[in-house]
Amino acid sequence: MTATPRPGTPAATPRPAPAPLAPALRRLPPAPAEKDRTNSNVRMAVTLEEAPSLGWILVKALMRFAFMVANNVFAIPSYICYVIILQPLRMLDSKRFWYIEGIMYKWLLGMVASWGWYAGYTVMEWGDDIKAISNDEAVMLVNHQATGDVCTLMMCLQDKGLVVAQMMWLMDHIFKYTNFGIVSLIHGDFFIRQGKSHRDQQLLLLKRHLENNYRSRDRKWIVLFPEGGFLRKRRETSQAFAKKNNLPFLTHVTLPRIGATKIILNALVARQENGSPAGGDAKKLDSKSKGLQWIIDTTIAYPKAEPIDIQTWILGYRKPRVTHVHYRIFPIKDVPLETDDLSDWLYQRFIEKEHLLSHFYETGAFPPPKGHKEAVSREMTLSTMWIFLIQCFAFLSGYMWYSIIQYFYHCLF
């Protein structure tokens, strides 16, 4: 049936059906304000999902920092008290005194190494096995990228016998004012001040320091960073110097400074009657010759060229990673001692470091030695039980010395 309109009422005009939306209009992107709100919501969701993880990282970092402070408060004063109480032994038997001091020094460095070890920062070693020369005198020439380089060496040298106990460090003078500065001063490490205005005076002081402390304290290894500073700070200056003097353009290392290396070699290399160095033989690692016998060219490489700093080592807020250390041993008889020849030799070592690091950053591994098809790496490990024992000894010693000092204080006052 068809509805009939009432009399006097105008007939209704049919409404046209709504036109379908054009495809272009249906697919328009959201307005800028709406898009920003969407992205903001996504970012907020990601942040909320990551919040528990970031919170745990913060809590863990605070706990690690608190442990580090406690470690230093107990261990360093205990070391100083032991050194003071053993002064009579130093007068009676100096060699035995410095042996005991070196063992305690090694334990302190082992504690520092453990902070990174338990954060998952481990070391993979490549190249020559330096354990074979751990009883001989040697100098380590190391590239320098960040403060974590020192911590890395503290870790990877712990399993090399008494190397750490009988080692002398050459480090920037700023480290003298850190919590570990007093320990390094007692042990006989050398703090060198950088800059042209101080260079000649510092080299003279280094020469006197070696003469007065190296042999008398039965030191055998020296750690030296010939670049004279961190890579990020010296790269531009080094490249400008290389361009001016027609030297190779280096990216992953900088050109080394020769001054400290020359002083060390002249002071410590034993001379034969004919004036040539009496160093070790690569085929006879048990050489009985006196004086400095080996140069260890040491190259530290970090994955993705992202070095670890001391803050990361202590707080452990970055993900676990493996630092790679490459060694190459040179007999001292193969190292020239004249200034120009030594400069060329040292430059060549750092050009080789540049090639080693370039290969590592491209492939994730160091290249194999000549005559070998592949390079072999060795994982360095720390004994958990040994770390536990030296930590217990440090805390118990701290408590013991505190009790002794408190007793005498009450007796006197």
Side-chain angles (χ1 to χ4, degrees), residues 89-100:
L89 177 62
R90 181 179 181 181
M91 299 175 62
L92 297 173
D93 190 345
S94 177
K95 185 174 182 179
R96 188 174 299 276
F97 168 83
W98 287 115
Y99 173 83
I100 297 173

Side-chain angles (χ1 to χ4, degrees), residues 19 26 85 91 189 252 326 390:
R26 289 200 303 267
I85 206 70
M91 299 175 62
D189 297 327
H252 305 306
H326 183 278
I390 62 174

Side-chain angles (χ1 to χ4, degrees), residues 167-182:
M167 176 178 287
M168 178 183 289
W169 296 76
L170 267 65
M171 60 186 79
D172 192 276
H173 79 288
I174 196 65
F175 285 99
K176 184 190 297 185
Y177 308 104
T178 65
N179 59 321
F180 212 76
I182 183 65

Side-chain angles (χ1 to χ4, degrees), residues 40-345:
S40 177
N41 291 337
V42 171
R43 287 196 298 270
M44 181 63 71
V46 173
T47 303
L48 290 175
E49 289 176 359
E50 293 178 348
S53 176
L54 293 176
W56 168 241
I57 291 174
L58 178 60
V59 171
K60 185 172 67 172
L62 292 174
M63 292 172 61
R64 288 175 58 86
F65 180 77
F67 178 78
M68 182 274 297
V69 172
N71 218 176
N72 281 279
V73 168
F74 280 84
I76 293 178
S78 297
Y79 166 86
I80 296 171
C81 289
Y82 280 122
V83 169
I84 293 173
I85 206 70
L86 288 172
Q87 287 304 306
L89 177 62
R90 181 179 181 181
M91 299 175 62
L92 297 173
D93 190 345
S94 177
K95 185 174 182 179
R96 188 174 299 276
F97 168 83
W98 287 115
Y99 173 83
I100 297 173
E101 183 278 333
I103 295 297
M104 293 190 295
Y105 182 82
K106 178 182 178 179
W107 290 351
L108 287 175
L109 268 59
M111 294 175 194
V112 177
S114 70
W115 301 342
W117 178 261
Y118 286 122
Y121 306 141
T122 57
V123 174
M124 191 72 72
E125 297 179 310
W126 303 71
D128 296 332
D129 184 5
I130 61 174
K131 284 184 180 180
I133 60 170
S134 59
N135 293 323
D136 298 334
E137 293 187 22
V139 173
M140 297 187 76
L141 304 178
V142 192
N143 61 311
H144 209 7
Q145 301 182 58
T147 50
D149 297 342
V150 175
C151 301
T152 298
L153 292 175
M154 288 180 180
M155 176 184 286
C156 63
L157 295 177
Q158 284 293 327
D159 66 342
K160 308 299 188 295
L162 292 177
V163 163
V164 176
Q166 298 175 308
M167 176 178 287
M168 178 183 289
W169 296 76
L170 267 65
M171 60 186 79
D172 192 276
H173 79 288
I174 196 65
F175 285 99
K176 184 190 297 185
Y177 308 104
T178 65
N179 59 321
F180 212 76
I182 183 65
V183 175
S184 293
L185 282 171
I186 293 173
H187 182 71
D189 297 327
F190 183 77
F191 300 95
I192 190 165
R193 187 182 295 271
Q194 305 293 342
K196 291 183 179 179
S197 59
H198 306 286
R199 190 169 299 165
D200 293 338
Q201 181 190 20
Q202 292 298 300
L203 293 178
L204 181 60
L205 291 174
L206 173 60
K207 183 175 182 293
R208 292 176 181 172
H209 184 83
L210 292 172
E211 292 172 351
N212 296 332
N213 298 288
Y214 185 82
R215 303 287 182 203
S216 64
R217 302 189 183 192
D218 196 26
R219 300 294 173 244
K220 289 193 173 183
W221 282 37
I222 294 180
V223 179
L224 173 64
F225 300 95
E227 292 166 292
F230 297 140
L231 173 63
R232 68 178 186 277
K233 293 183 177 180
R234 289 212 60 242
R235 178 159 41 199
E236 186 176 344
T237 304
S238 174
Q239 291 173 345
F241 179 83
K243 184 178 181 180
K244 181 179 178 180
N245 293 275
N246 196 28
L247 294 169
F249 188 88
L250 306 177
T251 303
H252 305 306
V253 295
T254 63
L255 291 171
R257 293 169 176 171
I258 190 177
T261 306
K262 181 174 175 57
I263 292 292
I264 291 170
L265 295 182
N266 287 339
L268 303 182
V269 172
R271 302 276 184 161
Q272 294 178 350
E273 294 181 0
N274 60 6
S276 60
D281 189 338
K283 296 181 180 179
K284 297 181 180 180
L285 298 182
D286 59 343
S287 173
K288 301 295 183 179
S289 61
K290 297 180 180 180
L292 191 65
Q293 299 174 57
W294 311 100
I295 299 291
I296 306 172
D297 186 21
T298 306
T299 305
I300 300 177
Y302 298 94
K304 300 180 181 179
E306 297 175 353
I308 296 176
D309 53 28
I310 187 65
Q311 299 94 321
T312 304
W313 194 269
I314 293 172
L315 301 177
Y317 53 81
R318 287 168 66 176
K319 294 181 179 179
R321 61 187 56 213
V322 179
T323 301
H324 298 258
V325 182
H326 183 278
Y327 306 111
R328 186 180 177 193
I329 300 174
F330 293 89
I332 197 65
K333 66 183 182 62
D334 294 341
V335 180
L337 300 181
E338 298 301 325
T339 302
D340 291 340
D341 293 336
L342 179 60
S343 297
D344 293 341
W345 185 89

